Amino acid sequence: MKPPREADEFRFALRALLMTPLMGRGHEALPAVRRQAEALREWFQREAGWPLAVERDGARLYKRPADTADATRGIEGFDRRRWVLLCLACAVLERSEAQISLHQLGERLLREAAAPELEALRFRFALDSPTERRDLVAVCKTLLGLGVLERVAGDEQGFVAGHAQGDALYDVRRRALAGLLAAARGPSTWPAEAAPTTLAERLAALVVEPAVDSEEGRRSALRHRLARRLLDDPVLYLEDLDEAERAYFANQRGVMAARLAEATGLGVEQRAEGTALTDADAALSDVALPAEGTEAHAALLIAGWLAARLRAGQGETEAEEAAAHLAALRERHGRFWRKSAREAGSEHELAATALARLAELSLLRLEGSRVLARPALARYAVEDSA
């Protein structure tokens, strides 16, 4: 057993890596991660099968999701266009000098975006409008947040506005760039004729890991997949598991959840429908509810309303019904919302944002215009959801 102070540091470092798997040299937890590196590597490998690399200037926990089909994962504000730009930017930075300016990055992105393969997919990128420049700046700020870029001088706002002198200069941190992709296998290792074709196949192929073909190897793979869901997803629902996973989890979920909770400091919520590791302080969640802001308030109101419907046996709702519900609540709650959300017709966008947040928390599933409540939504039931 670790001494109390060492155990506290281990938990602090472990929680920090769960929230910041790509940790730069300026992160407050890096000294603790370096001191606890051996124990952390052993724990993550044993419990979740996640490799951990710790160096002097940073650490990388290669968190690979158990469910690559989960569409709620991603970067806030990123659509397909920005994801393409992020990938192209990384390709440019891989071949760039130790420093690069925002203008240089934009010019090289233009050349990359003109590739015939992208043109065939009708992808277009230019820097002629503030919207396009804003997309590039969003990519740069994401890379700054990940520690791949470090701003040396300037800022991005003048560039977005189109000012001739608007520019920024960055250092390129190649070690962080090299660790950005958490794939088990690099995409470039497939011959073009053998590469997976559909998005689902490509995502699955990126994270597939070799497993020992033995009874113990299969049990380890099952344990890792389940632990990844418990550590990285809001809720683990039994209905989302395949037959082998359900059989294993039926016998092991109490022990497994208790072991993970002890190391991470999380609570355990066991229900007939599944299991969740809960954090009362919301320190290990990038999406919180309740939270501040108009969208979060709207999400809480819709959650209470949907929970009441679920309790009454109505588990399916149309998105338009949720928007209508918000419109009906505008007079009572609108004084807490920002001005634009109080205008007639704004309830549609507000409801869409709120429903997306609830989907990210695994409280419901969105299938087109259909809203399908999930069991964990019941925790938001109130006597008067209006």
Side-chain angles (χ1 to χ4, degrees), residues 219-275:
R219 282 199 300 268
S220 294
L222 284 171
R223 185 177 70 251
H224 290 164
R225 291 203 300 272
L226 294 166
R228 291 175 183 188
R229 285 179 179 269
L230 286 169
L231 290 170
D232 214 27
D233 295 342
V235 185
L236 188 159
Y237 290 110
L238 296 180
E239 67 179 15
D240 293 339
L241 305 180
D242 62 30
E243 185 177 351
E245 290 169 337
R246 279 196 298 272
Y248 183 89
F249 198 54
N251 295 320
Q252 298 293 325
R253 75 173 182 169
V255 174
M256 178 183 292
R259 190 171 62 244
L260 297 178
E262 181 182 6
T264 58
L266 297 172
V268 180
E269 186 172 316
Q270 300 275 23
R271 300 286 182 179
E273 300 87 358
T275 302

Side-chain angles (χ1 to χ4, degrees), residues 293-347:
T294 299
E295 285 79 7
H297 187 201
L300 193 60
L301 291 171
I302 289 180
W305 173 68
L306 289 174
R309 290 170 64 92
L310 179 62
R311 188 167 52 185
Q314 296 175 284
E316 183 175 334
T317 306
E318 288 293 321
E320 277 300 311
E321 294 179 79
H325 180 68
L326 282 183
L329 295 180
R330 185 182 291 121
E331 183 175 348
R332 178 175 175 180
H333 295 284
R335 65 184 183 278
F336 302 115
W337 301 348
R338 66 173 183 272
K339 183 178 179 181
S340 61
R342 297 196 295 268
E343 298 174 356
S346 63
E347 66 271 10

Side-chain angles (χ1 to χ4, degrees), residues 23-75:
M23 185 177 290
R25 59 190 174 192
H27 197 285
E28 63 174 357
L30 183 59
V33 169
R34 291 179 61 195
R35 286 190 293 269
Q36 297 289 332
E38 184 176 350
L40 289 165
R41 285 193 196 98
E42 192 275 335
W43 190 90
F44 278 116
Q45 186 60 51
R46 182 185 68 246
E47 299 295 344
W50 285 335
L52 171 64
V54 180
E55 300 178 353
R56 183 184 64 182
D57 291 337
R60 179 54 158 130
L61 175 63
Y62 290 91
K63 288 171 64 177
R64 292 160 188 159
D67 180 13
T68 56
D70 183 0
T72 64
R73 293 180 178 273
I75 300 174

